[in-house]
Structure formats: C-alpha cells, structure tokens
Amino acid sequence: MKQLLLVFLGGGVGSMLRYLISKIFNDYFQYFFLGTFLVNIVGCLLMGVILGLSLKGDYLTQNQTLVLATGFCGGFTTFSAFAFEKHVLLGSGELSHFLLYTLSSIVIGILAIALGLWLARMV
C-alpha cells in the first residue's frame, strides 16, 4: 500500500507540473507544442538520471526510485498527449511539422536518456 501511495503522490506532482509547463508554452508556439516537447525531453533526462543513480547503488532507495521514476516521471511525461498532437498535425495537413516534431522528440528523447545515464555515472 505504501508503494501505491508513493506512485500516487509522485504522479500527482508530475502531472500538475506537466500541466503548468504545457499550458505556458503550448499557447505560444503553434504547430510544435513546445510545452509537451520540453516535458518529454526533460522527463527522459530525469528518468535517465534517476534510473542511473538507482542502478549505481547507494544513491536512491527502492522507494525513492519508485516515487521519482514511476510516479513523478510517469505523471510528468506525456506520451498520450504526444500521440494526440501528432493526430492533430496530420489532420490539419501539417506533414512537415508532424515529421519535425515526431522525429526530434524521439531522437532527442533517446539522447536525453543517454545523457541522464552518463550524468548519473559521473556522481
């Protein structure tokens, strides 16, 4: 039960922060959804750091990893919003924006995970 509560609390904080960032940035950049992009990239970076530190040993407990990785990062990142926004771009005929947003999100997200894991190894 304690683990469910940790995921719930971390997820709630991550979801609120995702909403605020998306609300601020998505309203200013048409056809790119910068808020969602930033949340997903930062979330990938954080996930890499958190899991890297967790794998390293004594840096994070299992409960800390659970609240931060599963809870916070799970609530913070927005793949479902990402998929919906792809649908919107395709539906509006914005193929070039669709391709740019999709490819940059995937490639930079993967690179951010790698950077996070590398940063965790430096500690």
Side-chain angles (χ1 to χ4, degrees):
M1 189 59 145
K2 178 183 177 183
Q3 292 174 327
L4 289 175
L5 183 59
L6 291 172
V7 171
F8 172 77
L9 292 173
V13 171
S15 294
M16 288 187 303
L17 190 55
R18 176 187 72 221
Y19 171 77
L20 291 173
I21 291 170
S22 294
K23 184 73 176 147
I24 291 167
F25 287 99
N26 284 355
D27 289 345
Y28 293 105
F29 294 91
Q30 189 176 17
Y31 301 123
F32 193 74
F33 305 102
L34 182 62
T36 305
F37 178 79
L38 291 172
V39 162
N40 284 332
I41 298 306
V42 170
C44 288
L45 176 63
L46 288 173
M47 182 73 82
V49 169
I50 292 162
L51 293 179
L53 290 174
S54 178
L55 292 171
K56 200 165 185 176
D58 296 286
Y59 291 95
L60 294 173
T61 67
Q62 185 178 11
N63 284 339
Q64 288 170 325
T65 302
L66 190 62
V67 74
L68 294 172
T70 305
F72 180 80
C73 288
F76 185 62
T77 58
T78 57
F79 193 76
S80 58
F82 174 79
F84 174 74
E85 290 162 355
K86 300 303 132 303
H87 175 75
V88 169
L89 291 172
L90 284 175
S92 64
E94 296 292 334
L95 184 58
S96 62
H97 290 107
F98 167 83
L99 291 172
L100 174 67
Y101 186 34
T102 302
L103 292 175
S104 61
S105 293
I106 292 168
V107 170
I108 296 172
I110 291 168
L111 291 173
I113 286 282
L115 176 61
L117 290 167
W118 179 81
L119 288 171
R121 280 191 294 251
M122 303 308 287
V123 175

